[in-house]
């Protein structure tokens, strides 16, 4: 694919200008420049010349006051939704194939250009990530037919391709798989072997397994073990984990390390009970099926800053790999179950209710929730991102409205983030915010991110959240490990609502929020008027 598309071309540009530029940068081309209004095409001698043109010209060379945008010209029939992102930081995934960013092409874009995703990815091409200039290009669909549609007649199903997902007759679009990272602990003395010389080993693992691997070397300074987080599909996580175990085994043999090296998986305490199962049945079955021995760290090791327990698997590498698959399968099932439970309170839509005057009204439950999350004031720039890009992407990813409230006071230490959306959107948005604060080192390497969240409840329901003698709120704190406070002597706002304060790590905050929303849903159901006794509820007339 040696044909190049040159965009953002000035109306004053000529073929001689392009000849001069390509000659100046010593980029060989095999044909004349095809100059159109606002863009141009040219054929390079080979792929090496084409890549050189993209690397040295795109976003860097100016012609008549406009920075040129140079990219592979992808034939219309071979366009797909995949990009190749190169030159990203070594500790991240070396090569990424990802869906194009959403966004339409500018009005009046010529039909011969690559499709609308190009306009987004040209902005990404050359942008900086941790002092690395990203290089973005299309991955053409090599399986696409090179032939045009059959001559004559209207194009049929074959020419147009299969119907789009979500089209009538095909049912709903399938949900994206839930991606839960795999976290493992490895002996500190093997971290260097896992990374490899100049990061080559870890880079090869990420490339082969299509995963992103974070080795938290700075955490727990001087500790005998370091955590590793693997982000990928379940298969990618398992493949990367197996490779890491093999590297450790090889390094142990070379250094004459005689102790057994078990696989240690980290899992949040919320999921461990279901992994063990009633009377330990689930865990025993995994042990029997895989031929391994599995132990789980004590509850006494848990703290507010460390809600994870260590699952230690001993046995041959192949057996440990199978056990890891089964353990993570149970954890993912638990996570999906929790996510489904979060949506229980919003399934009261389109319910016919009888009003006090005997008439029917269509009542829809309040699906959207608003949470005020307080973050360090110094972190606002990182959350917003350059030109607001990070907060926009976060909002799009989570499906929630995310806004930073104006600063209150002369020198505020905290800033309020207003998040509005359904429970699943709240979970995604808050999860990313907690994670971003950790990534940007706003919290120390040994401490977990702990934030305060405020939710508003009707003043008449505040007593139900507190419970008789504080029983409900105390049970809530014991169950979730979060600090839950309903400040006394609050003056209800204009909507007759008061604030409930929730403080803790991410999962603690989430669980507390969901439990409080369950209490509110129960209160709302009890507040709904009931038909008088002996009166049969009329059925709505069918049209």
């Amino acid at each position: 694919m040696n044909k190049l598309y040159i965009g953002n071309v000035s109306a004053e540009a000529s073929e001689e200008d392009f000849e001069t530029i390509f000659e100046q940068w010593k980029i060989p081309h095999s044909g004349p420049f095809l100059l159109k209004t606002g863009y141009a095409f040219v054929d390079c001698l080979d792929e090496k010349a084409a890549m050189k043109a993209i690397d040295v010209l795109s976003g860097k060379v100016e012609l008549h006051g406009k920075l040129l945008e140079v990219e592979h010209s992808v034939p219309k029939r071979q366009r797909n939704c995949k990009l190749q992102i190169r030159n990203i930081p070594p500790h991240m995934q070396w090569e990424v194939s990802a869906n194009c960013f959403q966004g339409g092409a500018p009005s009046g874009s010529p039909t011969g250009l690559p499709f609308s995703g190009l306009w987004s990815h040209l902005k990404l091409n050359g942008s900086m990530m941790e002092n690395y200039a990203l290089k973005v290009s299309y991955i053409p669909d090599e399986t696409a037919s090179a032939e045009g549609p059959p001559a004559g007649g209207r194009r049929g199903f074959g020419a147009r391709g299969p119907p789009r997902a979500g089209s009538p007759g095909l049912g709903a679009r399938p949900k994206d798989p839930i991606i839960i990272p795999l976290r493992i602990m490895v002996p500190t003395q093997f971290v260097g072997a896992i990374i490899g010389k100049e990061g080559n080993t870890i880079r090869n693992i990420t490339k082969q397994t299509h995963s992103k691997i974070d080795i938290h070397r700075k955490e727990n300074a001087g500790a005998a073990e370091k955590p590793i987080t693997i982000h990928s599909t379940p298969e990618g996580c398992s493949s990367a984990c197996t490779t890491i175990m093999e590297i450790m085994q090889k390094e142990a043999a070379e250094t004459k390390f005689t102790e057994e090296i078990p696989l240690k998986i980290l899992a949040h305490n919320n999921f461990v009970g279901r992994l063990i199962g009633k009377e330990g049945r689930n865990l025993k079955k995994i042990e029997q099926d895989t031929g391994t021995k599995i132990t789980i760290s004590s509850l006494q090791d848990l703290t507010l800053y460390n809600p994870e327990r260590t699952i230690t698997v001993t046995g041959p590498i192949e057996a440990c790999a199978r056990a890891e698959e089964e353990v993570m399968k149970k954890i993912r099932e638990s996570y999906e179950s929790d996510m489904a439970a979060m949506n229980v309170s919003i399934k009261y839509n389109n319910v016919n209710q009888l009003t006090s005057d005997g008439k029917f009204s269509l009542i829809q439950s309040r699906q959207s929730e608003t949470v005020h999350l307080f973050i360090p004031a110094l972190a606002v720039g990182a959350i917003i991102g350059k030109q607001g890009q990070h907060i926009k992407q976060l909002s799009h990813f989570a499906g929630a409205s995310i806004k930073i409230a104006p600063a209150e006071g002369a020198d505020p230490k905290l800033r309020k983030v207003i998040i509005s959306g359904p429970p699943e959107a709240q979970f995604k948005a808050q999860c990313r915010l907690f994670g971003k604060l950790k990534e940007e080192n706003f919290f120390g390497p040994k401490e977990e991110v702990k934030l305060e969240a405020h939710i508003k409840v009707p003043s008449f329901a505040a007593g139900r959240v507190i419970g008789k003698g504080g029983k409900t709120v105390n049970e809530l704190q014991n169950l979730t490990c979060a600090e839950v406070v309903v400040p006394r002597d609050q003056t209800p706002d204009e909507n007759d609502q008061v604030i409930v304060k929730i403080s803790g790590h991410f999962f603690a905050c989430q669980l507390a929020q969901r439990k409080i929303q369950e209490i509110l849903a129960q209160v709302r159901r009890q507040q709904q008027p009931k038909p008088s006794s002996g009166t049969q509820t009329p059925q709505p007339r069918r049209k």
Side-chain angles (χ1 to χ4, degrees):
M1 194 171 73
N2 305 328
K3 187 172 183 178
L4 294 180
Y5 154 76
I6 306 172
N8 200 33
V9 176
S10 169
E12 303 172 18
S14 64
E15 292 183 29
E16 290 76 17
D17 292 330
F18 287 112
E19 291 281 359
T20 303
I21 290 174
F22 272 63
E23 184 177 345
Q24 177 185 347
W25 290 97
K26 298 180 180 178
I27 303 171
H29 58 93
S30 57
F33 289 88
L34 181 60
L35 191 59
K36 301 289 184 179
T37 304
Y39 64 101
F41 294 102
V42 66
D43 287 313
C44 289
L45 283 177
D46 50 31
E47 177 67 12
K48 185 178 179 181
M51 291 304 298
K52 181 180 179 182
I54 293 171
D55 290 344
V56 302
L57 301 182
S58 186
K60 299 172 184 175
V61 174
E62 189 175 296
L63 180 60
H64 295 295
K66 286 191 172 185
L67 282 175
L68 298 178
E69 297 169 345
V70 184
E71 183 53 59
H72 283 110
S73 175
V74 183
K76 188 173 182 179
R77 289 177 298 278
Q78 289 186 324
R79 295 175 203 160
N80 64 10
C81 295
K82 291 185 178 180
L83 300 176
Q84 184 185 66
I85 306 177
R86 296 174 293 115
N87 199 39
I88 65 180
H91 62 278
M92 298 179 67
Q93 186 175 339
W94 179 249
E95 187 171 281
V96 180
S97 175
N99 285 330
C100 276
F101 304 97
Q102 302 230 354
S107 60
S109 59
T111 57
L113 292 181
F115 78 122
S116 59
L118 174 62
W119 298 101
S120 294
H121 106 259
L122 281 177
K123 296 176 183 177
L124 181 64
N125 189 39
S127 61
M128 301 300 293
M129 176 182 286
E130 300 182 16
N131 297 323
Y132 286 79
L134 298 181
K135 297 178 181 178
V136 186
S137 59
Y138 271 100
I139 299 176
D141 184 2
E142 301 296 345
T143 62
S145 172
E147 298 176 3
R154 186 177 177 180
R155 291 188 301 173
F157 175 87
R160 295 178 60 88
R164 297 178 185 176
S167 297
L170 286 184
R173 181 178 296 181
K175 292 183 179 179
D176 294 333
I178 293 176
I179 303 299
I180 296 180
L182 169 63
R183 282 173 53 78
I184 61 176
M185 296 291 286
V186 301
T188 302
Q189 64 260 44
F190 297 136
V191 169
I194 294 169
I195 296 173
K197 188 177 181 180
E198 298 180 350
N200 286 332
T201 304
I202 195 71
R203 192 155 51 240
N204 288 335
I205 298 174
T206 60
K207 189 172 183 180
Q208 291 166 8
T209 62
H210 303 289
S211 60
K212 176 180 178 290
I213 303 176
D214 296 324
I215 301 178
H216 307 282
R217 286 177 288 177
K218 295 181 181 179
E219 291 189 15
N220 304 326
E225 295 175 318
K226 297 292 183 182
I228 293 179
T229 305
I230 305 171
H231 304 267
S232 186
T233 60
E235 296 78 14
C237 287
S238 297
S239 179
C241 178
T242 302
T243 304
I244 288 172
M245 286 192 291
E246 291 171 349
I247 291 170
M248 290 194 296
Q249 195 83 351
K250 181 180 177 182
E251 182 70 10
E254 291 177 355
T255 57
K256 298 180 180 180
F257 184 83
T258 56
E259 296 179 21
E260 186 177 23
I261 309 172
L263 170 62
K264 293 188 177 183
I265 302 171
L266 297 176
H268 197 281
N269 184 53
N270 289 354
F271 306 138
V272 171
R274 284 166 283 184
L275 169 65
I276 296 171
K278 190 175 182 180
E279 298 177 355
R281 291 173 188 168
N282 291 346
L283 212 56
K284 289 176 183 175
K285 186 176 188 307
I286 295 174
E287 288 180 322
Q288 292 170 359
D289 291 347
T290 61
T292 57
K293 176 67 177 173
I294 304 176
T295 57
I296 298 178
S297 62
S298 171
L299 278 168
Q300 268 76 33
D301 297 336
L302 293 177
T303 67
L304 277 175
Y305 298 105
N306 179 28
E308 292 178 310
R309 293 173 72 178
T310 304
I311 303 163
T312 304
V313 185
T314 54
I317 288 179
E318 296 78 8
C320 288
R322 291 197 303 273
E324 178 273 326
E325 292 175 4
E326 294 300 320
V327 167
M328 289 305 297
K329 180 180 177 183
K330 285 291 182 185
I331 290 173
R332 291 182 184 101
E333 287 173 355
S334 300
Y335 175 82
E336 290 173 3
S337 174
D338 288 353
M339 290 296 292
M342 285 169 56
N343 294 322
V344 168
S345 62
I346 64 171
K347 296 189 182 296
Y348 298 94
N349 299 335
N350 302 331
V351 180
N352 286 318
Q353 298 289 341
L354 187 66
T355 61
S356 56
D357 59 357
K359 297 180 181 179
F360 273 92
S361 66
L362 195 63
I363 298 180
Q364 293 188 343
S365 67
R366 182 183 174 187
Q367 295 187 29
S368 183
E369 303 169 1
T370 298
V371 177
H372 295 171
L373 195 66
F374 291 83
I375 65 172
L378 295 175
V380 169
I383 297 300
I384 295 175
K386 188 177 181 181
Q387 297 180 339
Q389 286 302 307
H390 182 264
I391 199 168
K392 289 177 185 176
Q393 291 171 4
L394 175 57
S395 179
H396 178 75
F397 161 79
S401 168
I402 305 174
K403 298 177 181 177
I404 308 290
E408 299 177 0
D411 186 23
K413 293 183 179 179
L414 297 175
R415 289 287 294 275
K416 180 166 63 178
V417 182
I418 304 171
I419 308 168
S420 301
E424 187 171 354
Q426 290 285 351
F427 185 95
K428 290 181 178 179
Q430 293 181 45
C431 180
R432 285 292 180 94
L433 287 170
F434 273 75
K436 184 68 173 176
L437 294 176
K438 185 69 172 179
E439 290 171 12
E440 299 292 339
N441 298 317
F442 288 103
F443 288 78
K446 291 186 178 181
E447 62 177 324
E448 189 169 6
V449 178
K450 184 179 179 182
L451 301 178
E452 182 174 302
H454 291 181
I455 59 176
K456 290 187 175 182
V457 303
S459 59
F460 62 82
R464 293 288 293 274
V465 176
I466 298 170
K468 188 175 181 180
K471 180 182 178 182
T472 303
V473 75
N474 287 335
E475 289 177 350
L476 200 58
Q477 293 184 121
N478 293 333
L479 173 67
T480 64
C481 296
E483 182 182 352
V484 182
V485 177
V486 184
R488 296 181 179 274
D489 303 325
Q490 287 191 74
T491 302
D493 63 13
E494 64 275 8
N495 296 319
D496 196 29
Q497 293 181 320
V498 294
I499 291 172
V500 177
K501 298 181 179 180
I502 304 167
S503 301
H505 57 74
F506 171 69
F507 281 103
C509 278
Q510 283 300 301
L511 190 55
Q513 288 175 40
R514 298 273 55 81
K515 291 297 181 184
I516 292 171
Q517 291 296 343
E518 287 176 12
I519 293 172
L520 297 180
Q522 187 179 18
V523 171
R524 283 195 291 268
R525 288 197 295 273
Q526 292 174 350
Q527 291 287 322
Q528 291 172 0
K530 297 179 181 179
S532 58
S533 59
T535 304
Q536 188 175 7
T537 303
Q539 298 296 321
R541 183 178 297 173
R542 297 180 64 182
K543 293 183 180 180

